[in-house]
Amino acid sequence: MKVNRDMAEQKKSSFARQLSFHIEGRVLILAVVLIILVIFFGTIRSRFLTTNSIKSMAFQCPEIGLMGLGMAIALMINGINLSINDTANVSALVAGLSLIELAPLFVGHEFISIAIAFLVAVIMGVACGSLNGFLVGYVGAPPILVTLATLTLYRGISVVITGGQTLTGFPDELSVIGHQAVLGIPVPFVIFLLTGIVVYFILEHTTFGFKVRMLGTNPTAAKFSGIDTKSITMKVYILSGILGAIAGIIVMSRTNSVAYEYGTRTYILQALLISVLGGISPGFGSVIGVLLATFILQVISTGFNMLLLGVQGSSFFKDFSWGVIFIVILIIDRLVHRHSGMG
């Protein structure tokens, strides 16, 4: 028995060292890439590094960054969440409807109705995540098929409720989340960073986080070691749904509207791109990598917008570039994994 315990400890220690090396190397590479991109765009476009430009990027990146985090934790257990964008939209829709109904009841105290609407959105995110988690964890259906099905389901619910129309008419106080700043730092960015810190703590300093990594690395070994893989899968998708719901609230506040089709063209691709660029793979990856990948994509997006401003077909080129970048990163990531013996 002592020999078995020693072997288990050695394997655990080896896994921790491999994980640490993988994370630290990826974070260093991403930090260097981010610096190079900032210098490049700052050199060719002087207004890229102005205060207004930096603030604009800080207002824009949180929503896709939160979806990227939600996608990342699903990928860490060898799953995927293609429905996270539609989870965000339907959560924002339910919150928006609640806000419209509650606003007349809290005249002069609109922040109470906004807080309740935020809670409603989170509950809806939990519900969406629970359905995904149940179908993947307990029914055993493939994650890609499950989340593709629920993507259609959540989008259909949004269309039926709104009739395909954009929902508006929210209290002005809602714009505090999407347009105000704290000590010069945009509120959405503060929410994004605080959420990232919470998810980082969960993954790096809790038993749940260790079980998530074990489940992603070797599901069979995780099951036989006593880990309730079904429960872990359910909790991961619930957390993913909550992150999507928070993103939905930020979008609703920033645009002062809710639309079923918001972000449906590119957000799923960008969330996947953030996860892969951030070094997320089954059992491996870090929140820091996801945050850096989010900043990199925002810098590229803003840089392209400035470079291609007024150029015909610039929107198509930007969408095209996301696909090219995604393919290139997948190829490089696969080659690196093979070289390091991790793939």
Side-chain angles (χ1 to χ4, degrees), residues 53-114:
S53 177
I54 293 173
K55 274 191 174 183
S56 177
M57 287 188 279
F59 272 114
Q60 293 175 43
C61 73
E63 57 201 54
I64 185 58
L66 287 165
M67 292 186 202
L69 272 177
M71 183 70 74
I73 59 174
L75 290 174
M76 287 184 72
I77 60 168
N78 204 21
I80 196 170
N81 188 0
L82 299 178
S83 65
I84 191 163
N85 188 181
D86 290 279
T87 295
N89 289 341
V90 74
S91 297
L93 172 60
V94 174
L97 291 173
S98 301
L99 190 56
I100 291 173
E101 293 296 324
L102 290 170
L105 303 178
F106 294 96
V107 176
H109 300 85
E110 284 77 8
F111 285 108
I112 296 178
S113 59
I114 291 172

Side-chain angles (χ1 to χ4, degrees), residues 22-35 288-289 292:
H22 176 74
I23 290 174
E24 291 172 2
R26 174 65 67 137
V27 168
L28 179 60
I29 292 172
L30 290 174
V32 171
V33 169
L34 179 60
I35 292 171
I288 297 175
L292 288 173

Side-chain angles (χ1 to χ4, degrees), residues 158-181:
S158 298
V159 173
V160 169
I161 293 177
T162 63
Q165 302 298 312
T166 299
L167 188 66
T168 57
F170 307 126
D172 293 337
E173 287 77 7
L174 180 64
S175 64
V176 170
I177 299 175
H179 293 278
Q180 299 300 314

Side-chain angles (χ1 to χ4, degrees), residues 42-232:
T43 301
I44 62 177
R45 283 291 183 271
S46 58
R47 61 192 180 91
F48 180 81
L49 290 178
T50 60
T51 301
N52 287 338
S53 177
I54 293 173
K55 274 191 174 183
S56 177
M57 287 188 279
F59 272 114
Q60 293 175 43
C61 73
E63 57 201 54
I64 185 58
L66 287 165
M67 292 186 202
L69 272 177
M71 183 70 74
I73 59 174
L75 290 174
M76 287 184 72
I77 60 168
N78 204 21
I80 196 170
N81 188 0
L82 299 178
S83 65
I84 191 163
N85 188 181
D86 290 279
T87 295
N89 289 341
V90 74
S91 297
L93 172 60
V94 174
L97 291 173
S98 301
L99 190 56
I100 291 173
E101 293 296 324
L102 290 170
L105 303 178
F106 294 96
V107 176
H109 300 85
E110 284 77 8
F111 285 108
I112 296 178
S113 59
I114 291 172
I116 295 174
F118 191 99
L119 179 60
V120 169
V122 171
I123 292 172
M124 189 64 189
V126 170
C128 292
S130 296
L131 178 58
N132 287 337
F134 173 75
L135 294 174
V136 175
Y138 289 89
V139 175
I144 191 169
L145 295 181
V146 166
T147 56
L148 187 60
T150 54
L151 174 157
T152 307
L153 173 64
Y154 303 152
R155 190 174 302 176
I157 292 173
S158 298
V159 173
V160 169
I161 293 177
T162 63
Q165 302 298 312
T166 299
L167 188 66
T168 57
F170 307 126
D172 293 337
E173 287 77 7
L174 180 64
S175 64
V176 170
I177 299 175
H179 293 278
Q180 299 300 314
V182 177
L183 300 176
I185 305 174
V187 172
F189 194 76
V190 173
I191 295 173
F192 178 40
L193 289 183
L194 290 177
T195 305
I197 290 171
V198 171
V199 176
Y200 174 85
F201 178 81
I202 291 172
L203 292 177
E204 304 296 336
H205 299 286
T206 66
T207 304
F208 171 74
F210 177 75
K211 290 177 179 178
V212 166
R213 296 189 183 280
M214 287 300 295
L215 175 58
T217 306
N218 193 327
T220 303
K223 183 176 181 180
F224 282 101
S225 65
I227 296 176
D228 187 347
T229 56
K230 295 178 180 179
S231 175
I232 295 298

Side-chain angles (χ1 to χ4, degrees), residues 242-262:
I242 291 173
L243 292 169
I246 297 174
I249 285 290
I250 290 176
V251 171
M252 180 173 73
S253 177
R254 186 171 66 82
T255 63
N256 198 35
S257 63
V258 178
Y260 78 91
E261 76 273 21
Y262 189 87

